[in-house]
């Protein structure tokens, strides 16, 4: 995943962006010429970085919603099969300690946010779910490492908050994966990324001096709504569920 994201950054910066821009004109001049003369050198490389971020956001959003939404909102249907529920209960009893059994068996189904998100439980209950969760986390971890490398390469152009955010995220994902905990919670946070492509579009429209257009205003509205629901409301719920579960 790290190699893939780093390759995406390089390809976008040195191949795709120049090639595509040369095909169009913008404000009476070739778009690539406008890019080289009107966009600062830092923002030129940042365009490629934003494209890499956008691809990560789209992939992780799709993966997160493929994995946790169908199970969470269709939980009664998933456990309508008595044999499935009995299998789940048997696994909990055999593999978990007493305190964890109590939490998971008191009506807390497969994706209840108040459980301890034990990775091996998901593996035995649904191999496909476990596979998707694992792939998303590894994909995201590789993205963070690659994006951090870009940050460090152009360190003078970035603040401590941006770099620190990535180091904290990398540490959290490595610890979570190493100890096999919080896998499901991590993937829930990936659903936050549904608002990111619109944030990235906002960046491009700003850089190309299109802030006064209708598309910029509509994009702002969509971003604000998605950010409110996917980050503010959802993350607040996850935090509450985690604290009340522990």
């Amino acid at each position: 995943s790290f190699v893939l994201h780093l390759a995406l950054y390089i390809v976008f910066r040195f191949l795709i962006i120049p090639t595509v821009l040369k095909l169009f004109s913008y404000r009476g001049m070739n778009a690539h010429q406008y890019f080289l003369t009107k966009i600062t050198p830092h923002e030129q490389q940042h365009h490629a970085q934003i494209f890499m971020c956008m691809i990560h956001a789209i992939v992780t959003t799709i993966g997160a919603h493929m994995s946790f939404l169908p199970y969470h909102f269709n939980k009664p249907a998933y456990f309508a099969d008595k044999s499935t529920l009995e299998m789940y209960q048997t696994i909990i009893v055999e593999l978990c300690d007493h305190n964890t059994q109590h939490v998971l068996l008191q009506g807390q189904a497969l994706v209840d946010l108040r459980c301890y998100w034990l990775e091996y439980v998901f593996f035995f209950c649904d191999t496909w779910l476990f596979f998707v969760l694992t792939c998303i986390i590894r994909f995201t971890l590789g993205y963070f490492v690659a994006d951090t490398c870009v940050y460090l390469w152009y360190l003078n152009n970035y603040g401590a908050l941006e770099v620190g955010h990535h180091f904290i995220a990398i540490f959290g994902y490595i610890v979570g994966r190493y100890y096999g905990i919080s896998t499901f919670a991590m993937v829930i946070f990936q659903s936050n990324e549904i608002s990111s492509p619109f944030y990235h579009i906002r960046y491009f429209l700003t850089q190309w001096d299109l802030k006064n257009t209708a598309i910029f205003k509509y994009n702002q509205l969509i971003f604000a709504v998605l950010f409110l629901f996917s980050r503010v409301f959802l993350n607040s719920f996850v935090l509450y569920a985690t604290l009340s579960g522990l």
Side-chain angles (χ1 to χ4, degrees):
S1 177
F2 162 72
V3 173
L4 172 63
H5 282 95
L6 205 56
L8 282 173
Y9 169 78
I10 294 172
V11 170
F12 268 107
R13 183 178 181 189
F14 297 106
L15 180 62
I16 296 179
I17 292 176
T19 301
V20 172
L21 290 179
K22 289 176 182 178
L23 300 176
F24 299 95
S25 60
Y26 183 72
R27 296 190 174 180
M29 60 190 306
N30 182 265
H32 185 240
Q33 190 63 31
Y34 179 93
F35 181 71
L36 295 177
T37 56
K38 302 297 183 179
I39 307 295
T40 67
H42 165 63
E43 297 301 343
Q44 290 176 24
Q45 75 81 21
H46 198 54
H47 272 58
Q49 193 175 2
I50 291 297
F51 272 116
M52 178 184 68
C53 297
M54 182 180 288
I55 291 175
H56 164 261
I58 293 172
V59 172
T60 54
T61 297
I62 295 173
H65 287 76
M66 281 176 57
S67 58
F68 91 86
L69 279 183
Y71 289 87
H72 187 62
F73 293 108
N74 198 33
K75 184 167 56 179
Y78 185 72
F79 284 100
D81 183 359
K82 185 178 180 181
S83 62
T84 302
L85 179 58
E86 290 176 348
M87 179 190 71
Y88 172 74
Q89 293 172 335
T90 301
I91 292 169
I92 297 302
V93 172
E94 290 181 353
L95 296 181
C96 302
D97 58 53
H98 177 73
N99 291 332
T100 307
Q101 290 177 25
H102 176 75
V103 173
L104 293 177
L105 293 177
Q106 294 301 311
Q108 315 305 332
L110 179 63
V111 294
D112 195 308
L113 294 177
R114 284 174 289 175
C115 75
Y116 289 155
W117 296 311
L118 298 175
E119 185 174 279
Y120 52 78
V121 172
F122 298 122
F123 175 78
F124 284 101
C125 287
D126 196 306
T127 306
W128 168 248
L129 175 61
F130 174 80
F131 174 75
V132 174
L133 295 179
T134 302
C135 287
I136 295 172
I137 291 172
R138 291 177 177 175
F139 186 77
T140 296
L141 181 57
Y143 155 73
F144 274 121
V145 175
D147 205 35
T148 301
C149 289
V150 177
Y151 276 149
L152 295 177
W153 188 262
Y154 299 98
L155 188 58
N156 292 334
N157 296 314
Y158 296 100
L161 184 62
E162 294 167 304
V163 179
H165 166 270
H166 277 35
F167 273 110
I168 293 173
I170 291 170
F171 175 78
Y173 276 94
I174 290 177
V175 171
R177 287 294 301 144
Y178 180 80
Y179 288 102
I181 59 174
S182 300
T183 303
F184 189 74
M186 292 176 180
V187 174
I188 288 179
F189 284 125
Q190 298 310 301
S191 66
N192 295 170
E193 297 295 338
I194 193 172
S195 64
S196 295
F198 300 95
Y199 176 76
H200 299 146
I201 292 172
R202 179 182 183 275
Y203 166 81
F204 289 129
L205 293 174
T206 301
Q207 286 296 310
W208 287 79
D209 196 23
L210 296 171
K211 293 183 68 174
N212 294 323
T213 62
I215 188 173
F216 183 87
K217 297 177 181 178
Y218 289 127
N219 183 76
Q220 284 278 77
L221 177 62
I222 295 172
F223 168 72
V225 172
L226 290 177
F227 186 93
L228 180 66
F229 283 97
S230 69
R231 293 181 182 264
V232 178
F233 290 164
L234 178 61
N235 290 352
S236 298
F237 174 66
V238 172
L239 177 62
Y240 166 78
T242 301
L243 293 176
S244 60
L246 296 177

